PDB file of all heavy atoms in Angstrom:
ATOM      1  N   ALA A 153      39.028  21.561 -60.330  1.00 98.00           N
ATOM      2  CA  ALA A 153      38.585  20.641 -61.440  1.00 98.00           C
ATOM      3  C   ALA A 153      37.564  21.404 -62.276  1.00 98.00           C
ATOM      4  O   ALA A 153      36.656  22.036 -61.819  1.00 98.00           O
ATOM      5  CB  ALA A 153      37.914  19.364 -60.718  1.00 98.00           C
ATOM      6  N   VAL A 154      37.782  21.332 -63.607  1.00 98.00           N
ATOM      7  CA  VAL A 154      36.924  22.031 -64.590  1.00 98.00           C
ATOM      8  C   VAL A 154      36.337  20.932 -65.522  1.00 98.00           C
ATOM      9  O   VAL A 154      36.993  20.058 -66.024  1.00 98.00           O
ATOM     10  CB  VAL A 154      37.692  23.028 -65.402  1.00 98.00           C
ATOM     11  CG1 VAL A 154      36.808  23.557 -66.529  1.00 98.00           C
ATOM     12  CG2 VAL A 154      38.254  24.058 -64.610  1.00 98.00           C
ATOM     13  N   ALA A 155      34.992  20.890 -65.533  1.00 98.00           N
ATOM     14  CA  ALA A 155      34.327  19.999 -66.523  1.00 98.00           C
ATOM     15  C   ALA A 155      33.646  20.818 -67.639  1.00 98.00           C
ATOM     16  O   ALA A 155      32.851  21.712 -67.403  1.00 98.00           O
ATOM     17  CB  ALA A 155      33.165  19.244 -65.807  1.00 98.00           C
ATOM     18  N   PHE A 156      34.148  20.652 -68.861  1.00 98.00           N
ATOM     19  CA  PHE A 156      33.462  21.272 -70.080  1.00 98.00           C
ATOM     20  C   PHE A 156      32.361  20.320 -70.571  1.00 98.00           C
ATOM     21  O   PHE A 156      32.555  19.101 -70.635  1.00 98.00           O
ATOM     22  CB  PHE A 156      34.562  21.415 -71.176  1.00 98.00           C
ATOM     23  CG  PHE A 156      35.619  22.442 -70.945  1.00 98.00           C
ATOM     24  CD1 PHE A 156      36.794  22.152 -70.444  1.00 98.00           C
ATOM     25  CD2 PHE A 156      35.296  23.809 -71.293  1.00 98.00           C
ATOM     26  CE1 PHE A 156      37.723  23.145 -70.318  1.00 98.00           C
ATOM     27  CE2 PHE A 156      36.309  24.744 -71.027  1.00 98.00           C
ATOM     28  CZ  PHE A 156      37.542  24.400 -70.519  1.00 98.00           C
ATOM     29  N   VAL A 157      31.261  20.896 -70.843  1.00 98.00           N
ATOM     30  CA  VAL A 157      30.071  20.175 -71.427  1.00 98.00           C
ATOM     31  C   VAL A 157      29.431  21.078 -72.429  1.00 98.00           C
ATOM     32  O   VAL A 157      29.475  22.309 -72.371  1.00 98.00           O
ATOM     33  CB  VAL A 157      29.063  19.793 -70.365  1.00 98.00           C
ATOM     34  CG1 VAL A 157      29.648  18.744 -69.361  1.00 98.00           C
ATOM     35  CG2 VAL A 157      28.464  20.984 -69.629  1.00 98.00           C
ATOM     36  N   GLY A 158      28.617  20.481 -73.322  1.00 97.00           N
ATOM     37  CA  GLY A 158      27.810  21.229 -74.254  1.00 97.00           C
ATOM     38  C   GLY A 158      26.456  21.573 -73.466  1.00 97.00           C
ATOM     39  O   GLY A 158      26.159  21.061 -72.446  1.00 97.00           O
ATOM     40  N   GLU A 159      25.714  22.542 -74.055  1.00 96.00           N
ATOM     41  CA  GLU A 159      24.522  23.003 -73.389  1.00 96.00           C
ATOM     42  C   GLU A 159      23.476  21.782 -73.330  1.00 96.00           C
ATOM     43  O   GLU A 159      22.680  21.777 -72.476  1.00 96.00           O
ATOM     44  CB  GLU A 159      23.883  24.245 -74.131  1.00 96.00           C
ATOM     45  CG  GLU A 159      22.985  23.978 -75.296  1.00 96.00           C
ATOM     46  CD  GLU A 159      23.728  23.546 -76.513  1.00 96.00           C
ATOM     47  OE1 GLU A 159      24.902  23.813 -76.636  1.00 96.00           O
ATOM     48  OE2 GLU A 159      23.072  23.101 -77.431  1.00 96.00           O
ATOM     49  N   GLY A 160      23.568  20.865 -74.280  1.00 94.00           N
ATOM     50  CA  GLY A 160      22.664  19.745 -74.153  1.00 94.00           C
ATOM     51  C   GLY A 160      22.911  18.788 -72.933  1.00 94.00           C
ATOM     52  O   GLY A 160      21.947  18.285 -72.400  1.00 94.00           O
ATOM     53  N   ALA A 161      24.172  18.756 -72.540  1.00 95.00           N
ATOM     54  CA  ALA A 161      24.507  17.928 -71.365  1.00 95.00           C
ATOM     55  C   ALA A 161      23.891  18.527 -70.103  1.00 95.00           C
ATOM     56  O   ALA A 161      23.798  17.728 -69.121  1.00 95.00           O
ATOM     57  CB  ALA A 161      26.038  17.875 -71.272  1.00 95.00           C
ATOM     58  N   ALA A 162      23.589  19.766 -70.070  1.00 95.00           N
ATOM     59  CA  ALA A 162      22.968  20.358 -68.826  1.00 95.00           C
ATOM     60  C   ALA A 162      21.671  19.799 -68.594  1.00 95.00           C
ATOM     61  O   ALA A 162      21.084  20.124 -67.481  1.00 95.00           O
ATOM     62  CB  ALA A 162      22.970  21.919 -69.014  1.00 95.00           C
ATOM     63  N   ASN A 163      21.077  19.075 -69.461  1.00 96.00           N
ATOM     64  CA  ASN A 163      19.786  18.522 -69.328  1.00 96.00           C
ATOM     65  C   ASN A 163      19.881  16.955 -68.926  1.00 96.00           C
ATOM     66  O   ASN A 163      18.865  16.299 -68.705  1.00 96.00           O
ATOM     67  CB  ASN A 163      18.938  18.560 -70.512  1.00 96.00           C
ATOM     68  CG  ASN A 163      18.657  20.044 -70.886  1.00 96.00           C
ATOM     69  OD1 ASN A 163      18.349  20.864 -70.136  1.00 96.00           O
ATOM     70  ND2 ASN A 163      18.580  20.361 -72.202  1.00 96.00           N
ATOM     71  N   ALA A 164      21.036  16.529 -68.704  1.00 96.00           N
ATOM     72  CA  ALA A 164      21.298  15.180 -68.281  1.00 96.00           C
ATOM     73  C   ALA A 164      21.353  15.049 -66.833  1.00 96.00           C
ATOM     74  O   ALA A 164      21.781  15.933 -66.081  1.00 96.00           O
ATOM     75  CB  ALA A 164      22.623  14.573 -68.966  1.00 96.00           C
TER      76      ALA A 164
END
Side-chain angles (χ1 to χ4, degrees):
V154 176
F156 288 97
V157 296
E159 86 285 344
N163 298 323

